[in-house]
Amino acid sequence: MKTDISVPSLLFIFLLSGTSIFTADSISQGKVSPLKGEINTGLNEFGISLSQDGKILYYYSKRQNSNYSDLYKSVKNGDSWSKGVEIRELNSNFDDQSPYITGDEKEIIFSSNRDGSIEFQLASGRIGVSRDLYYSNFANGRWEKPMPLPPEVNTPEIEENPFLYGTFLLFTRYPFGKVAESDIYLSEFKNEAWTEAFALDKPINTEYAELAATVSRDGKYLYFSSNRPGGYGGLDIYKSEIKADGSFSSPVNLGPVVNSKGDEAFFLEAPDGKNAYFCRLANEGGNYDIYEFSAANEWESLKKNKKISLESIHFRTASYEIEDVSFPILDRLVDFLKENPNIKLKIIGHTDLHGDPKDNLELSRQRASAVREYLQKKGISESRLSTDGKGSQEPIYPEKNPETDGKNRRTEFQILD
C-alpha cells in the first residue's frame, strides 16, 4: 500500500517539528459539547477519523434493525455536521468498524470480521472469527475491494482502532472477548511490507486496558484511552510526550473537561489548531456520541499568572531566526494582545548552559528582539513591547543534557503592570 510519508525511522517520524496547542492550560480552560447537526443519533457513533481539511468525519455506527456495525461519514457545513451516509462499497454483512482515513481520502484501513477474516477455535469447541484490519484504495471514483493486512498485523486476536502516522501503524489488539486486556501495538510499512507488530512498552501499555491511540499533528504526543487507576470514570484519554530517544513520558490524564464519569476515546486534533474531536459514552448502558473540544487560548493564563515560560518558541541553531513551527503559537499571542489592548508585555530570552556566557547573553537578547519584531509586523504596537535577555544566567535546571537544555532554552513572556 501507499503511505503519506516515507521516513527511515520511528524516532524521526515521531519528532517532526511543531507545537501542539493542547497544553494543560488550554485543555483545563477549554469547552466540550456534542457535535451540532445530525451526526449523533440515539445509537453508537464511535471510532472516528478526520479528513485533512477537517470537514469530513469517518466513523462507525450500528443502525436500528441491524445486528452489525457499518462505516459512515458525515460532512461539516458551517458549524453543523450532516446526517451520516453509509459507505456501502466498504461495508459487509458483518461488523465493519474503526475506520482510519488518509488525509486525501484515497486510502482507508478499518476493522472487520467479514468473510475471509482469521478463524480460530473457542474453548467451547465452536469456531470464532476475529476482527482483522483491512485496507482499501480509492481509485477510478470508487473504493476497491478491501484486502486484509498480512499476518504480521492480523492474528486470531482482535485488531481494531488503526491510526496511520507516516509509515507507522498504531492499532489495538486483545484476545477474543477480552477487551479489558487490550494493548496498543505498532507496525511499520517498510520495504513494501509490514513489519511484525509489537506492543508498546510501559508507561503506555499496562495491566489495564489501553486502546485507540492517535498522534498529535506535530508528531510529539501520543493520545490514547485507558481505564488505569487515577481517572475520572471508566476509559479516560491520556497524553504522553514522545521523547528524543523514542521513549514515552509518563501519561497525563487530560482532566475533567475532556474526561467524565463515563468513557472517552479517540482524541483527534483538528487542522484548524483550535479544536479536537473525541467519542464519549456519558451514561452506562447508553451509546457513544462524538464530541468537540474547543481549546482555550493558552495566553489567557498570562492574565492569571503574570508570566508564562515557553520552550516551544524555536530558533535556528546558534541563530535568532525564528523557525516557522513557532508562528502558530505566536499568532495566538497576537490574537490575545489584540483582544486585550491595554496589556503591555515583556519578552525575555534564555539560552541553555552550553557556549560562552557573553555570547549566550547577546543571543538571548537578539532572540527576544526577533519575537518583538514578529509581533510588531502582526500589528502590535512597539510601545506595548519590551525585551530583555538573560543568556544562561537563570537556568531552570543547572545541568547540561538534551532534556534540560530544551527547558533552559526558552522564551518568557511577562505582563507589565
Side-chain angles (χ1 to χ4, degrees):
M1 63 170 286
K2 297 178 293 182
T3 53
D4 293 332
I5 307 172
S6 179
V7 294
S9 70
L10 174 63
L11 178 60
F12 181 84
I13 192 65
F14 276 166
L15 292 178
L16 293 175
S17 295
T19 301
S20 174
I21 72 159
F22 296 98
T23 62
D25 284 336
S26 69
I27 291 174
S28 65
Q29 299 172 40
K31 297 180 180 179
V32 162
S33 59
L35 290 191
K36 296 178 181 179
E38 301 180 82
I39 185 171
N40 288 320
T41 68
L43 300 168
N44 272 319
E45 279 75 40
F46 194 57
I48 57 176
S49 184
L50 190 64
S51 63
Q52 183 62 39
D53 61 8
K55 294 182 179 180
I56 301 179
L57 267 172
Y58 290 74
Y59 56 96
Y60 74 90
S61 183
K62 184 181 290 186
R63 297 309 194 204
Q64 288 181 330
N65 303 319
S66 174
N67 293 322
Y68 298 99
S69 54
D70 288 319
L71 306 180
Y72 285 79
K73 69 177 182 179
S74 181
V75 179
K76 188 175 185 181
N77 298 305
D79 62 352
S80 183
W81 290 87
S82 70
K83 183 178 180 180
V85 175
E86 183 182 348
I87 309 174
R88 295 184 181 276
E89 295 171 8
L90 295 176
N91 289 324
S92 68
N93 293 326
F94 299 92
D95 283 320
D96 300 295
Q97 300 182 353
S98 53
Y100 172 83
I101 189 77
T102 55
D104 59 3
E105 299 177 72
K106 296 298 184 182
E107 297 167 282
I108 193 170
I109 301 175
F110 63 96
S111 179
S112 180
N113 61 355
R114 62 185 57 204
D115 287 340
S117 298
I118 296 173
E119 297 182 352
F120 59 94
Q121 190 170 29
L122 296 165
S124 64
R126 298 177 59 188
I127 298 299
V129 181
S130 72
R131 277 206 308 276
D132 294 334
L133 295 184
Y134 284 77
Y135 164 79
S136 177
N137 183 54
F138 191 82
N140 300 317
R142 60 174 287 111
W143 289 105
E144 296 177 342
K145 180 181 177 181
M147 301 298 294
L149 296 190
E152 286 76 13
V153 174
N154 288 327
T155 69
E157 297 192 344
I158 301 297
E159 282 84 28
E160 58 187 16
N161 310 333
F163 186 90
L164 187 65
Y165 193 86
T167 59
F168 297 91
L169 178 67
L170 292 156
F171 63 93
T172 305
R173 178 186 287 171
Y174 57 90
F176 185 84
K178 298 180 179 179
V179 67
E181 298 180 19
S182 60
D183 281 324
I184 296 167
Y185 279 70
L186 186 144
S187 176
E188 180 183 3
F189 191 71
K190 187 176 182 180
N191 298 324
E192 300 301 314
W194 290 104
T195 60
E196 189 74 31
F198 64 90
L200 298 184
D201 291 332
K202 287 186 176 181
I204 304 302
N205 286 322
T206 67
E207 63 269 30
Y208 299 93
E210 280 80 33
L211 52 91
T214 66
V215 179
S216 63
R217 287 186 172 267
D218 61 18
K220 292 187 175 182
Y221 296 95
L222 183 79
Y223 297 106
F224 64 95
S225 191
S226 177
N227 62 353
R228 62 186 62 193
Y232 292 88
L235 291 167
D236 280 2
I237 298 172
Y238 288 79
K239 176 182 179 180
S240 178
E241 183 179 1
I242 303 163
K243 297 182 180 180
D245 62 0
S247 63
F248 296 92
S249 69
S250 180
V252 176
N253 190 296
L254 290 193
V257 174
V258 172
N259 293 315
S260 69
K261 293 181 180 179
D263 293 329
E264 285 79 25
F266 293 99
F267 192 83
L268 293 177
E269 294 184 357
D272 63 8
K274 298 178 182 179
N275 302 313
Y277 302 98
F278 66 95
C279 301
R280 173 182 284 175
L281 175 65
N283 301 304
E284 186 175 353
N287 292 288
Y288 277 97
D289 282 329
I290 305 172
Y291 282 70
E292 181 174 18
F293 169 75
S294 300
N297 189 327
E298 65 270 55
W299 296 104
E300 293 292 335
S301 62
L302 276 168
K303 290 181 178 179
K304 300 176 181 179
N305 302 325
K306 291 284 186 178
K307 192 174 185 179
I308 188 170
S309 178
L310 294 178
E311 60 198 73
S312 52
I313 306 299
H314 298 283
F315 300 86
R316 298 196 183 280
T317 304
S319 168
Y320 55 87
E321 181 181 352
I322 303 173
E323 292 190 343
D324 293 353
V325 294
S326 303
F327 295 160
I329 195 168
L330 289 176
D331 289 342
R332 293 193 293 275
L333 174 57
V334 170
D335 293 339
F336 170 78
L337 291 172
K338 288 181 178 180
E339 292 168 2
N340 299 272
N342 295 323
I343 284 180
K344 293 185 178 182
L345 197 66
K346 187 175 185 179
I347 306 161
I348 308 165
H350 297 265
T351 69
D352 57 36
L353 299 176
H354 297 276
D356 181 80
K358 291 183 179 180
D359 292 340
N360 285 339
L361 182 61
E362 179 61 22
L363 181 60
S364 68
R365 290 171 175 169
Q366 291 173 327
R367 287 178 170 177
S369 295
V371 172
R372 179 185 61 190
E373 291 173 8
Y374 182 87
L375 299 178
Q376 287 177 223
K377 289 179 180 178
K378 293 289 184 174
I380 306 303
S381 172
E382 182 180 4
S383 64
R384 299 176 61 191
L385 306 170
S386 62
T387 64
D388 194 7
K390 300 296 184 181
S392 53
Q393 298 172 9
E394 298 181 3
I396 297 177
Y397 299 98
E399 53 187 295
K400 301 176 183 178
N401 62 60
E403 186 169 348
T404 58
D405 288 346
K407 297 185 182 300
N408 288 331
R409 192 170 52 241
R410 67 198 189 278
T411 306
E412 288 181 340
F413 300 86
Q414 183 177 9
I415 287 182
L416 300 178
D417 294 327

